[in-house]
Amino acid sequence: MEERKITEHESLEIINSMIRDTRTQLTREAGVPFLIWGYTTVAVSLWEYAMHRLDLYWGWGWFALPVIGYLLTWLLSRRNNGREYVKSYIDRAITAVWVVFGFSVLFAFGAAFVYKISMFFMMTLLIGMGTAITGAIIRSKAVTTGGALSMLSSTIFAVRHMFLEDCPEAIFTYQINDMLIFAAIFFLLMCIPGHILIHEARKNGKKD
């Protein structure tokens, strides 16, 4: 039996359908990590704030943050391994961006203690840059805007740090309140854009 040849119109429809499916999957895959890292960072920030206010042993939560974030991301990737989804060049580009910025944040975290720079300024600036780049790659205005606003918001910590007195007590006092500001910025930076990406992916999926 002779196979029917597809027309040019049908061929374009197939290509467009594949592009839509890939974009929907890419949007969903980008949205979930934003929620994981966003809510984990907010939770750790509030935990550290509470521990400091209660005058309990605090500080180790920041070291647990990357462990929790990477563990949840790894568990999610393991769960999604059964799905038929081919990693594209865009996926690899986004992964490369966050690997670079992830190591940059770790170095900045250490440098903040050595050179007495605001840790929250460095982390917010670097992660805001990574978020803005990711938004540009996946063409999401919400993510790009969130990253840009985060970069601008990082100046709050820099300005506050400039007016610190030259004593450890003043630095720690300011950093307590910085934790709340940091949590609020991360909620706006990652959680809200993450929810928007998930919503867009579900909406596009229903259309298809």
Side-chain angles (χ1 to χ4, degrees):
M1 181 177 179
E2 185 178 356
E3 296 182 359
R4 184 179 70 87
K5 295 182 178 180
I6 62 175
T7 63
E8 182 179 353
H9 177 74
E10 291 174 332
S11 178
L12 290 175
E13 282 296 323
I14 293 173
I15 294 174
N16 289 332
S17 177
M18 293 174 63
I19 293 175
R20 287 194 301 268
D21 291 343
T22 301
R23 177 162 178 76
T24 299
Q25 182 67 30
L26 178 62
T27 303
R28 184 184 300 110
E29 294 293 330
V32 175
F34 270 90
L35 294 180
I36 291 175
W37 285 94
Y39 280 114
T40 301
T41 303
V42 171
V44 170
S45 300
L46 296 179
W47 169 266
E48 287 295 313
Y49 176 81
M51 291 296 99
H52 197 105
R53 283 299 183 187
L54 295 174
D55 199 20
L56 298 175
Y57 194 67
W58 64 281
W60 292 105
W62 302 117
F63 295 97
L65 174 58
V67 176
I68 298 172
Y70 279 114
L71 179 61
L72 292 176
T73 304
W74 178 75
L75 291 174
L76 178 69
S77 65
R78 292 266 299 181
R79 190 188 70 176
N80 292 340
N81 279 343
R83 298 179 182 176
E84 294 183 359
Y85 177 61
V86 179
K87 293 292 183 180
S88 64
Y89 176 79
I90 295 179
D91 292 300
R92 293 192 293 272
I94 293 176
T95 300
V97 166
W98 283 107
V99 167
V100 172
F101 276 97
F103 281 107
S104 299
V105 168
L106 291 177
F107 282 113
F109 186 80
F113 288 98
V114 175
Y115 297 103
K116 295 183 179 180
I117 304 171
S118 173
M119 173 186 71
F120 300 108
F121 164 71
M122 299 291 291
M123 294 177 66
T124 306
L125 176 63
L126 288 172
I127 297 176
M129 292 169 62
T131 301
I133 294 173
T134 301
I137 292 175
I138 65 177
R139 297 181 181 179
S140 171
K141 292 182 179 179
V143 176
T144 304
T145 302
L149 291 177
S150 175
M151 294 167 62
L152 291 175
S153 300
S154 67
T155 58
I156 296 174
F157 304 110
V159 172
R160 284 168 58 83
H161 200 78
M162 287 173 58
F163 291 97
L164 292 179
E165 297 177 8
D166 190 17
C167 65
E169 290 79 8
I171 294 176
F172 285 123
T173 299
Y174 271 77
Q175 284 184 344
I176 296 173
N177 297 325
D178 283 351
M179 294 176 192
L180 295 180
I181 300 174
F182 185 67
I185 291 175
F186 253 78
F187 180 77
L188 299 175
L189 161 67
M190 286 195 163
C191 298
I192 292 181
H195 282 294
I196 292 175
L197 288 175
I198 296 296
H199 175 72
E200 289 179 350
R202 290 175 177 173
K203 184 173 64 175
N204 294 334
K206 289 180 179 179
K207 289 181 180 180
D208 297 337

